[in-house]
Amino acid sequence: MTVDQLKQQFQSAFNQQALETYFCPGRVNLIGEHIDYNGGLVMPCAINFGTWMLLAPNEDNVFRFRSVNFEETYDIGVQDSYEKTGREWYNYPLGVLHHFVIDGKQVKGLDVLYFGNVPIGSGLSSSASIEIATAFAFNQYFKTGYSKLELVKMAKSVENNFIGLSSGIMDQFAVAFGEADKALMLNCDTLEYKAVDAYLGDNVLAVINTNKPRKLAESKYNERVEECAQALKALQQELNISYLCDIDSDTFSRHQHLITDEVVLKRAKHVVEENERVKLAADALAQHNLAEFGRLMYASHQSLQHDYEVSGVELDTAVEYSKTDSNVIGARMTGAGFGGCAIAIVKADAFETYSKNLIDYYTAKIGYAPSVYATNISSGVHELVN
């Protein structure tokens, strides 16, 4: 849907013209999986799929939330605070509004329309996209003076405390600070980051949505967090460390005898080696060495599949096919796992063939088709010129 079409939708919904238009991307994590809660490095990037948000003031001092994607609507007056209501999509912007008013910011009624093309529940951060779009737009429109980092922390609080979902800060950070043709090497503990060249040349970043519901993700996620805590506690018998990512592979190999549970040992091995892969990936990208970056992607998936065990037959099938295609530089699962998405770097002029062959291969093995998208590494949240 084009911006002009969205403006027509806005006119139809509210009987007035949109005053301002914003866009916030979704994100993928290029490498560095299940590292954020272990004190290490991740490497997300913003993509050119995301959330569009159009707004205009109204005379009724009411916030009217509408979406092209969902039938549910929500109207509520300006109040001193707000509460989550049900499980509908509008709780995300409502949570942002709640933070503005409890911070004492002066707001007035707005008509607001959203449209998103990030697949819901795919692990590409549709929720962070709508949160940051809303926070950024309100901050601009109401001139409330928040820094971009403050907006990121606010959006994470919305996710954790208003919506009630446990998550780190990577998603909100990536969609706010993303840059075109750059990946962000981010320390999720300190929030220090470095923008790394991620120019893909004549390639595209393919996103493969397995279309498998991610029912296991949350319970298994919590299980992995606990296993990492066990590994850390065992290593702390001899090492003065706060996180698993405080050590390198050599140090880990010298002290791994402290971890007596074989499963916990495998989890720790993945974390330490994956953190090192992020550093190597940054070097490869800086040198425009996509072949080495692709090798690291495959190594990351192998580790997530066998050591961390958060993949699954669907994600493995997408990566398995990608390895056989000469037009693919590298592929891996991305996100928490147990469904969701894989990514691959694919020659742009071969994408259509790759997509068709992957869909055929996957469907024959899994029984239903994946969705395959060609994306680019894009800029973070911004206002569009009307």
Side-chain angles (χ1 to χ4, degrees):
M1 186 170 284
T2 66
V3 172
D4 284 343
Q5 289 171 322
L6 286 173
K7 288 178 178 177
Q8 290 170 9
Q9 292 258 1
F10 190 96
Q11 178 77 42
S12 175
F14 300 115
N15 199 31
Q16 67 164 327
Q17 290 186 346
L19 183 67
E20 296 178 359
T21 304
Y22 297 86
F23 175 75
C24 184
R27 71 98 187 96
V28 298
N29 192 27
L30 292 174
I31 197 164
E33 223 61 74
H34 286 273
I35 294 297
D36 51 344
Y37 51 86
N38 285 298
L41 300 167
V42 294
M43 191 181 283
C45 66
I47 58 174
N48 59 329
F49 281 56
T51 302
W52 285 260
M53 176 183 171
L54 290 72
L55 63 79
N58 62 54
E59 298 298 321
D60 306 316
N61 216 22
V62 169
F63 281 85
R64 298 189 179 100
F65 296 119
R66 305 286 185 272
S67 170
V68 176
N69 304 90
F70 302 101
E71 290 183 5
E72 300 90 0
T73 65
Y74 196 65
D75 296 3
I76 192 163
V78 173
Q79 300 175 181
D80 293 335
S81 65
Y82 297 89
E83 293 182 2
K84 180 185 174 188
T85 169
R87 299 171 61 88
E88 285 77 16
W89 69 273
Y90 49 72
N91 283 292
Y92 291 100
L94 188 65
V96 173
L97 178 58
H98 171 71
H99 273 267
F100 271 72
V101 297
I102 63 171
D103 273 0
K105 305 301 183 186
Q106 295 298 308
V107 300
K108 295 181 179 179
L110 293 176
D111 294 340
V112 189
L113 177 71
Y114 296 90
F115 168 69
N117 63 358
V118 179
I120 305 297
S122 63
L124 301 182
S125 297
S126 56
S127 60
S129 181
I130 193 171
E131 289 159 1
I132 291 291
T134 306
F136 185 85
F138 284 1
N139 192 46
Q140 294 276 102
Y141 182 77
F142 294 121
K143 297 181 172 56
T144 42
Y146 290 111
S147 70
K148 196 180 278 189
L149 184 57
E150 286 172 330
L151 296 177
V152 166
K153 291 177 178 178
M154 177 194 295
K156 179 182 182 291
S157 178
V158 170
E159 191 90 33
N160 297 163
N161 303 316
F162 193 86
I163 302 298
L165 294 175
S166 298
S167 65
I169 204 167
M170 176 179 72
D171 296 356
Q172 291 83 4
F173 198 98
V175 301
F177 285 94
E179 299 179 32
D181 297 324
K182 303 272 189 182
L184 305 180
M185 188 164 69
L186 169 67
N187 183 314
C188 290
D189 184 38
T190 65
L191 298 186
E192 294 174 353
Y193 80 100
K194 178 182 177 184
V196 179
D197 279 339
Y199 179 62
L200 299 182
D202 57 356
N203 302 284
V204 294
L205 181 63
V207 175
I208 306 110
N209 186 356
T210 63
N211 290 327
K212 178 192 178 184
R214 297 170 65 222
K215 292 176 183 172
L216 279 174
E218 192 161 334
S219 63
K220 292 293 184 181
Y221 179 93
N222 293 337
E223 189 179 285
R224 294 300 178 275
V225 172
E226 174 56 30
E227 288 164 342
C228 289
Q230 290 175 35
L232 177 64
K233 187 175 181 181
L235 291 170
Q236 284 171 332
Q237 294 173 76
E238 293 182 4
L239 294 169
N240 182 22
I241 57 174
S242 301
Y243 295 103
L244 289 178
C245 290
D246 289 344
I247 58 174
D248 59 19
S249 292
D250 289 342
T251 306
F252 178 70
S253 64
R254 289 197 302 272
H255 294 87
Q256 64 182 26
H257 63 275
L258 296 168
I259 305 172
T260 55
D261 184 307
E262 286 299 314
V263 171
V264 172
L265 180 64
K266 288 200 302 180
R267 305 300 188 244
K269 176 176 178 285
H270 163 76
V271 170
V272 173
E273 293 181 353
E274 183 80 349
N275 193 51
E276 292 184 340
R277 274 189 286 270
V278 176
K279 298 172 186 175
L280 293 170
D283 291 340
L285 287 173
Q287 296 162 20
H288 301 285
N289 187 348
L290 286 181
E292 172 63 7
F293 185 74
R295 187 193 69 77
L296 292 164
M297 290 175 75
Y298 284 130
S300 172
H301 185 83
Q302 175 90 357
S303 180
L304 288 158
Q305 181 182 3
H306 296 290
D307 287 338
Y308 219 67
E309 296 181 282
V310 290
S311 185
V313 63
E314 297 83 4
L315 289 162
D316 294 342
T317 298
V319 174
E320 189 179 278
Y321 170 75
S322 298
K323 280 184 175 177
T324 70
D325 192 318
S326 62
N327 293 300
V328 178
I329 292 171
R332 64 183 288 274
M333 62 157 274
T334 188
F338 307 105
C341 289
I343 55 172
I345 297 176
V346 184
K347 292 286 184 189
D349 58 7
F351 173 77
E352 294 302 328
T353 304
Y354 165 79
S355 176
K356 179 186 181 303
N357 291 342
L358 169 60
I359 289 169
D360 290 346
Y361 182 90
Y362 183 99
T363 305
K365 188 163 182 177
I366 304 300
Y368 55 86
S371 303
V372 188
Y373 309 93
T375 72
N376 296 306
I377 298 175
S378 73
S379 300
V381 65
H382 56 279
E383 183 174 0
L384 299 175
V385 178
N386 276 337

